[in-house]
Amino acid sequence: MKIISFNVNGIRAILQKDFIRDFIDLDADIFFLQESKFSEDMHLDFPFMPKGYQTYWTVSKLRKGYSGVAVFTKKAPLRVHYGLEEEKYDDEGRIITLEYEDFYFVGAYVPNSGDGLKRMDFRLQFEDDLLAYLDKLNAKKPVIYAGDLNVAHQEIDIKNPQNNHQNAGFTDAERERFTRLLSHGYKDTFRELYPTTIKYSWWSYRFNARANNAGWRIDYFVVSERIMDKVKDSVIHNQIYGSDHCPIELDIDL
């Protein structure tokens, strides 16, 4: 089974580029998309609904053109859930859960702490609530957790760790939350398979960052520890353009 996660930084914008070609070429069983910036009042349907896939999406109810996630799946899930328990955080359009017979897929667009870390408290509370939610699911069946998690966990995951220390996405608090997540019985699939490989999944649009490969690895596939042995590969497709992020891929035998 192949799963793709991609922060597209605007579904309408990327549809004007090579996204459809890349979507077809990647041929995922599950394709999770973040930061759609889609508002339901603009159209009745999501602007991209590929044939052969079930399409599910959620949007921000707070701000138009903000956040938003969608998932395309070849196999219909048993259930689809938006937000966390009791749909918490779904007003920001950040989380979709698909339940299958043998696993849960949880796709998330984790909040950025923002300029001046003005949303840090909200971000950390989100992480606490998300971990509690993942643990409840994981007690029932294994979890695949994916998305733009907005944190570079280790110094190897960021081009300039010293210059970015305590900036949003590389604060001690955010990194500690990711460490704590892993301590609850989860694995960062890319780092497990490639402990010394330097590869990034996001680059600023400023200062020719992508051309200079001055990036961050902030997009992840995290899986329950008990299914890590089922993971065949975890790939960062940094040759694919169209967004300030690139797609990541999980190949898993479930």
Side-chain angles (χ1 to χ4, degrees):
M1 180 174 61
K2 180 193 289 189
I3 307 175
I4 296 291
S5 174
F6 191 10
N7 180 323
V8 295
N9 194 20
I11 183 62
R12 288 180 186 78
I14 205 166
L15 283 171
Q16 303 304 312
K17 301 175 185 176
D18 295 322
F19 176 72
I20 294 176
R21 182 202 66 190
D22 294 332
F23 183 93
I24 293 169
D25 289 347
L26 288 167
D27 191 25
D29 298 289
I30 299 172
F31 196 112
F32 175 55
L33 177 155
Q34 305 104 65
E35 209 171 355
S36 68
K37 300 183 179 180
F38 175 65
S39 297
E40 286 181 327
D41 63 341
M42 297 178 183
H43 297 279
L44 293 176
D45 290 318
F46 197 73
F48 178 63
M49 300 184 72
K51 291 182 179 179
Y53 288 85
Q54 302 288 321
T55 302
Y56 307 96
W57 72 93
T58 186
V59 302
S60 171
K61 287 78 172 173
L62 302 177
R63 288 169 53 189
K64 293 181 180 180
Y66 171 75
S67 189
V69 293
V71 65
F72 315 103
T73 175
K74 289 181 178 178
K75 182 178 180 181
L78 301 176
R79 274 173 289 277
V80 180
H81 180 74
Y82 302 96
L84 300 182
E85 289 189 293
E86 299 179 351
E87 299 182 349
K88 189 172 184 179
Y89 299 107
D90 191 46
D91 57 351
E92 292 222 351
R94 292 189 176 275
I95 309 154
I96 292 180
T97 301
L98 306 183
E99 180 182 358
Y100 293 95
E101 291 85 353
D102 300 321
F103 69 98
Y104 291 99
F105 173 81
V106 179
Y109 174 40
V110 172
N112 190 299
S113 296
D115 294 338
L117 306 180
K118 60 187 176 184
R119 293 200 94 196
M120 176 64 84
D121 290 345
F122 177 82
R123 157 70 179 264
L124 297 182
Q125 186 61 55
F126 178 95
E127 299 248 30
D128 292 346
D129 294 341
L130 178 63
L131 179 55
Y133 176 72
L134 293 176
D135 283 349
K136 286 187 177 181
L137 297 183
N138 193 35
K140 300 173 186 176
K141 60 182 81 171
V143 171
I144 299 172
Y145 169 45
D148 174 1
L149 307 191
N150 258 317
V151 62
H153 183 216
Q154 302 174 21
E155 289 193 353
I156 192 175
D157 298 316
I158 184 171
K159 178 67 172 181
N160 296 303
Q162 290 78 22
N163 293 341
N164 285 289
H165 183 229
Q166 297 300 78
N167 287 342
F170 199 60
T171 64
D172 294 340
E174 291 164 315
R175 295 168 67 195
E176 184 279 330
R177 285 299 198 278
F178 195 85
T179 298
R180 186 185 62 174
L181 166 68
L182 299 182
S183 76
H184 277 233
Y186 304 96
K187 295 292 186 181
D188 170 359
T189 58
F190 180 81
R191 193 54 67 207
E192 283 291 311
L193 295 177
Y194 304 104
T196 62
T197 297
I198 296 174
K199 249 188 170 182
Y200 306 123
S201 64
W202 174 81
W203 303 261
S204 170
Y205 281 131
R206 298 181 296 170
F207 311 122
N208 293 315
R210 190 155 188 177
N212 296 322
N213 200 28
W216 302 41
R217 187 174 75 96
I218 60 174
D219 301 88
Y220 296 82
F221 278 105
V222 173
V223 302
S224 300
E225 189 172 26
R226 64 187 183 276
I227 59 169
M228 184 63 210
D229 63 339
K230 305 293 186 183
V231 174
K232 303 306 178 185
D233 207 355
S234 189
V235 182
I236 297 175
H237 288 287
N238 56 5
Q239 80 283 4
I240 294 179
Y241 285 71
S243 171
D244 51 349
H245 293 251
C246 71
I248 61 170
E249 173 181 332
L250 181 73
D251 297 307
I252 187 167
D253 185 10
L254 281 178

